[in-house]
Amino acid sequence: IEVQDGAWYDLAAGNNHLIFADITIGSEGEWIDADGTISFIESATQSLVNDGNCSLDVLSIDKESSADQVNITGNIIVQNLNISTGSVTINSDYFIDKEGILVESNGNLVVEQGTILRSQDGANIIVAAGGQMTLNGTDSEHCIISENGEDGYYNFDVFGELSADHTQFKFMSADGINIHPGAVITSGHAFNNCMFSYGESGGSYLTINNGQTVTMDGIIFDQNNWGGNSNVRKTQNAGNVTFTNFAGAFSGEAFDDDVYDRIFWDNGSRELDITVFLEGPFSGGAMGTTLNAQNSIPLNQPYNIPPWNYSGTESVAAIPTSDVVDWILVELRDATDANSATSGTIISQQAALLINNGSIKGLDGTSNPIFSNSVSQQLFVVIRHRNHLDVLSAYPLSESGGVYSYNFTSPIGQAYGTDAQKNLGGGAYGMYSGDGNADGTIDIDDKVIIWSVEAGNTGYLNGDFNMDSQTDNSDKNDIWTENNEASSQIPD
């Protein structure tokens, strides 16, 4: 069908034109259908090319299968675009929908780079369950989804699947882009490098209430000059959303609405604020630093041998402060809960310095350790020491401003398992001492193979369970005997 010049007017109500071919409207042509339906139904690929003037009431795509293609090129104005079955690709300077777009369960809408999709005030863009919408913007040619007059707001609800890259979203209604329970944001195309600006006062740019765990990279949340309540809202206690490399004045945790703590902002700098006590040197509310005072602590981390086999190269020119107790090995695990935090969930390890007040510090002895891994679920920490039983945090670390915190020392039950730490008195709890061979169990081997061999010696020794630089009877009688048969309870 070609309209090279002149006009096709259909002003009668209720007409349904079934299209089995292509439609081409030339630069001097017009196709105006004010109150009817244009239906593309042919199984073969069809096209609608407009170089003139095209204004339609209902544009319906009802092909034989979801893979059957319709290509739309040129500037089109429609009241409603309904895709029940078939795949529609829009490649236009602008495509205006006055009342809305509906992508049903067997439908797929692809908006190509450089296309501006404009919706009238109050219009609805709906991706139904089973439907899919893809926004293929590029770094040089964005897609733009906006309200047509830029003085109203459109609704955007996703129950199916949405894929978006390099797209600008403007003038959404109060829910913003609303990702409903059961919907899917395509992994790897999860609003990556998209920009959000303007919206309805009191609303959000994004509402994410599906149960998906997803990472969104490079999003820009523009300034809140429209009276917004939040950048991102999540009211369902399911799934996690991590934002990486984000930008914009309205980005960050300070502006999200996240009652269940399931939205994470990864700015590339994460700190660990961890507190833990070792039983061996603990006395009077703090740990002794005898090994440090006698220059017994090595300058290189000691966990590069079995059973740890940690290959990190942490070292210091000198022990940085007199408050250092010993080296400690910190291990991070990304899991849904502590029971699931097995060795298969390890995302990072590093050797650090333990301070006498229980804090774990970096190599300068004062700064918190830094890690750079993304967290997709929840973060748990394992603390390992060369002659104490390892512990795992019973609960996920709390995060604020890029700092992940956890205190093993109080109250009871901070370590995963049953009585996984020892009551040190005064409301403090610490890691059991006496595991000289670091196999996770305090038993006869620690006495015979480690303590007995080292007894009578001084220095940096694993049989020195109280860490006073001497392996002697106090290590055996006061610590090993009392802790014999205790075991680590980490779910490896």
Side-chain angles (χ1 to χ4, degrees):
I1 300 172
E2 294 188 15
V3 183
Q4 292 297 340
D5 54 33
W8 176 317
Y9 290 106
D10 187 349
L11 306 181
N15 285 343
N16 186 8
H17 299 286
L18 304 179
I19 307 299
F20 292 89
D22 299 333
I23 297 177
T24 301
I25 303 168
S27 60
E28 302 299 323
E30 289 186 284
W31 187 316
I32 308 297
D33 194 312
D35 198 13
T37 301
I38 303 297
S39 297
F40 283 90
I41 62 173
E42 173 64 37
S43 60
T45 297
Q46 294 176 269
S47 63
L48 169 56
V49 179
N50 176 50
D51 290 323
N53 182 22
C54 182
S55 179
L56 308 175
D57 181 24
V58 177
L59 178 57
S60 173
I61 312 300
D62 192 9
K63 309 276 276 182
E64 292 186 6
S65 79
S66 59
D68 293 339
Q69 182 71 36
V70 174
N71 297 313
I72 300 176
T73 304
N75 303 325
I76 312 290
I77 299 174
V78 301
Q79 294 287 340
N80 293 279
L81 171 61
N82 294 337
I83 307 173
S84 58
T85 302
S87 181
V88 176
T89 298
I90 298 175
N91 193 341
S92 309
D93 289 338
Y94 67 81
F95 184 99
I96 297 175
D97 65 280
K98 292 190 173 183
E99 294 183 12
I101 295 173
L102 174 61
V103 183
E104 298 189 59
S105 59
N106 290 314
N108 180 25
L109 175 60
V110 178
V111 180
E112 290 290 18
Q113 62 193 58
T115 297
I116 303 174
L117 195 161
R118 302 175 179 173
S119 298
Q120 294 291 91
D121 181 27
N124 298 299
I125 300 176
I126 300 174
V127 182
Q132 184 172 4
M133 183 172 181
T134 302
L135 301 165
N136 280 334
T138 66
D139 186 42
S140 59
E141 290 190 275
H142 294 182
C143 294
I144 299 176
I145 314 297
S146 182
E147 195 276 330
N148 188 44
E150 298 191 352
D151 58 0
Y153 311 97
Y154 63 94
N155 305 305
F156 198 147
D157 292 278
V158 180
F159 302 88
E161 182 170 355
L162 179 65
S163 173
D165 295 287
H166 292 285
T167 298
Q168 299 180 36
F169 297 97
K170 303 179 179 181
F171 297 101
M172 293 79 65
S173 62
D175 288 331
I177 311 301
N178 193 350
I179 310 298
H180 289 265
V184 174
I185 306 170
T186 306
S187 179
H189 304 279
F191 297 108
N192 291 347
N193 302 297
C194 290
M195 179 176 181
F196 292 80
S197 57
Y198 306 108
E200 187 173 7
S201 179
S204 300
Y205 280 141
L206 265 173
T207 298
I208 304 177
N209 279 330
N210 62 350
Q212 185 178 2
T213 293
V214 64
T215 297
M216 302 181 181
D217 186 69
I219 285 185
I220 299 173
F221 291 106
D222 203 4
Q223 59 185 326
N224 182 16
N225 55 4
W226 47 278
N229 179 66
S230 60
N231 47 30
V232 185
R233 179 174 60 190
K234 189 171 183 64
T235 61
Q236 298 293 312
N237 191 18
N240 295 314
V241 182
T242 299
F243 292 96
T244 58
N245 301 308
F246 52 88
F250 201 37
S251 64
E253 183 179 20
F255 306 113
D256 68 28
D257 182 359
D258 180 24
V259 294
Y260 295 106
D261 194 26
R262 290 186 170 272
I263 299 174
F264 304 96
W265 299 87
D266 173 9
N267 62 4
S269 176
R270 302 174 185 80
E271 297 183 25
L272 290 173
D273 182 13
I274 309 297
T275 305
V276 67
F277 284 143
L278 301 178
E279 176 198 6
F282 184 86
S283 177
M287 290 175 289
T289 57
T290 304
L291 292 177
N292 190 355
Q294 296 189 4
N295 297 318
S296 296
I297 300 175
L299 300 182
N300 298 314
Q301 65 87 5
Y303 298 103
N304 56 353
I305 59 175
W308 306 283
N309 297 311
Y310 169 62
S311 59
T313 59
E314 292 90 343
S315 65
V316 292
I319 301 301
T321 76
S322 61
D323 296 331
V324 172
V325 176
D326 199 0
W327 289 93
I328 208 88
L329 185 62
V330 179
E331 181 176 287
L332 300 178
R333 301 187 177 194
D334 186 355
T336 55
D337 53 44
N339 187 58
S340 303
T342 63
S343 57
T345 68
I346 296 172
I347 61 171
S348 180
Q349 287 182 310
Q350 65 175 290
L353 298 173
L354 180 64
I355 307 302
N356 61 350
N357 64 2
S359 61
I360 295 175
K361 297 299 181 181
L363 300 184
D364 63 359
T366 57
S367 303
N368 287 334
I370 302 294
F371 72 102
S372 59
N373 308 76
S374 296
V375 181
S376 61
Q377 299 180 90
Q378 299 190 93
L379 191 67
F380 295 83
V381 62
V382 172
I383 304 299
R384 302 187 187 277
H385 183 261
R386 57 192 176 86
N387 63 10
H388 285 64
L389 292 180
D390 304 333
V391 290
L392 165 71
S393 58
Y395 309 100
L397 278 61
S398 61
E399 186 272 339
S400 178
V403 179
Y404 286 81
S405 302
Y406 199 85
N407 187 350
F408 281 96
T409 70
S410 180
I412 189 173
Q414 290 294 95
Y416 175 78
T418 303
D419 297 325
Q421 290 196 107
K422 190 168 185 177
N423 187 343
L424 304 179
Y429 294 83
M431 296 166 60
Y432 282 94
S433 184
D435 187 17
N437 62 3
D439 66 354
T441 301
I442 299 172
D443 56 19
I444 192 64
D445 288 345
D446 300 300
K447 175 184 175 182
V448 174
I449 299 176
I450 304 299
W451 178 87
S452 295
V453 172
E454 295 178 354
N457 294 312
T458 61
Y460 193 71
L461 304 169
N462 285 358
D464 177 20
F465 300 138
N466 63 11
M467 298 172 62
D468 66 355
S469 83
Q470 301 181 61
T471 303
D472 54 23
N473 283 333
S474 61
D475 299 303
K476 174 175 66 74
N477 298 335
D478 298 341
I479 292 182
W480 179 86
T481 299
E482 187 172 331
N483 294 343
N484 187 27
E485 298 185 356
S487 295
S488 173
Q489 299 177 52
I490 296 176
D492 285 331

mmCIF file of all heavy atoms in Angstrom, residues 84 92 217 225 248 307 321:
data_model
loop_
_atom_site.group_PDB
_atom_site.id
_atom_site.type_symbol
_atom_site.label_atom_id
_atom_site.label_comp_id
_atom_site.label_asym_id
_atom_site.label_seq_id
_atom_site.Cartn_x
_atom_site.Cartn_y
_atom_site.Cartn_z
ATOM 1 N N SER A 84 -0.249 -7.531 20.533
ATOM 2 C CA SER A 84 -0.722 -8.760 21.175
ATOM 3 C C SER A 84 0.171 -9.934 20.824
ATOM 4 O O SER A 84 0.550 -10.723 21.688
ATOM 5 C CB SER A 84 -2.174 -9.045 20.787
ATOM 6 O OG SER A 84 -2.301 -9.145 19.387
ATOM 7 N N SER A 92 12.524 5.847 14.732
ATOM 8 C CA SER A 92 11.899 7.109 14.342
ATOM 9 C C SER A 92 12.556 8.277 15.059
ATOM 10 O O SER A 92 13.169 8.117 16.115
ATOM 11 C CB SER A 92 10.406 7.102 14.708
ATOM 12 O OG SER A 92 9.749 5.953 14.231
ATOM 13 N N ASP A 217 24.396 -0.272 36.253
ATOM 14 C CA ASP A 217 25.669 0.436 36.153
ATOM 15 C C ASP A 217 25.508 1.746 35.389
ATOM 16 O O ASP A 217 24.856 1.807 34.349
ATOM 17 C CB ASP A 217 26.697 -0.441 35.438
ATOM 18 C CG ASP A 217 28.072 0.185 35.428
ATOM 19 O OD1 ASP A 217 28.688 0.276 36.498
ATOM 20 O OD2 ASP A 217 28.522 0.592 34.339
ATOM 21 N N ASN A 225 14.694 18.703 41.187
ATOM 22 C CA ASN A 225 14.102 20.026 41.065
ATOM 23 C C ASN A 225 12.606 19.928 40.772
ATOM 24 O O ASN A 225 11.992 20.865 40.271
ATOM 25 C CB ASN A 225 14.809 20.836 39.971
ATOM 26 C CG ASN A 225 14.831 20.119 38.634
ATOM 27 O OD1 ASN A 225 14.262 19.040 38.492
ATOM 28 N ND2 ASN A 225 15.517 20.710 37.668
ATOM 29 N N GLY A 248 24.923 11.948 39.418
ATOM 30 C CA GLY A 248 23.766 12.820 39.507
ATOM 31 C C GLY A 248 23.497 13.273 40.925
ATOM 32 O O GLY A 248 23.752 12.556 41.894
ATOM 33 N N PRO A 307 46.964 -24.133 56.643
ATOM 34 C CA PRO A 307 45.809 -24.480 55.807
ATOM 35 C C PRO A 307 45.179 -23.295 55.102
ATOM 36 O O PRO A 307 44.202 -23.461 54.364
ATOM 37 C CB PRO A 307 44.827 -25.039 56.844
ATOM 38 C CG PRO A 307 45.107 -24.220 58.069
ATOM 39 C CD PRO A 307 46.590 -23.992 58.073
ATOM 40 N N THR A 321 51.839 0.671 64.873
ATOM 41 C CA THR A 321 51.533 1.259 66.180
ATOM 42 C C THR A 321 51.775 0.227 67.277
ATOM 43 O O THR A 321 51.779 -0.988 67.035
ATOM 44 C CB THR A 321 50.060 1.727 66.275
ATOM 45 O OG1 THR A 321 49.203 0.600 66.444
ATOM 46 C CG2 THR A 321 49.643 2.505 65.037
#
